Amino acid sequence: MSENVLVADPCVNICRVDPDGKFCQGCKRTALEIGSWPRMTEQQRADVAALIRQRTDPAVTRAMQPTP
């Protein structure tokens, strides 16, 4: 990642934890990721952004669901 690229804060002001208590329903970050964001390097922020994309990918989301 280029040092000149800034990763925007993914907060969308819908600050509510999902029913499983894992992720914010708005930005899809964990509480630790949200709290650490101001102190993260741009590379760390890019890594979190990649995790968010995985969390919002329907195929990944289905794979994370427990089987009945």
Side-chain angles (χ1 to χ4, degrees):
M1 187 182 119
S2 170
E3 287 299 317
N4 297 335
V5 176
L6 297 178
V7 179
D9 189 330
C11 181
V12 294
N13 293 318
I14 301 173
C15 304
R16 199 172 36 236
V17 178
D18 67 11
D20 294 329
K22 293 181 182 179
F23 306 109
C24 172
Q25 290 180 327
C27 67
K28 306 300 187 229
R29 291 181 291 174
T30 65
L32 181 61
E33 291 164 348
I34 293 167
S36 300
W37 189 265
R39 296 178 305 284
M40 287 182 181
T41 65
E42 288 305 312
Q43 182 59 56
Q44 290 169 321
R45 290 176 178 185
D47 293 344
V48 170
L51 290 171
I52 291 168
R53 284 189 296 278
Q54 289 177 355
R55 292 171 188 157
T56 57
D57 181 330
V60 173
T61 303
R62 278 193 305 275
M64 291 172 48
Q65 297 299 316
T67 55

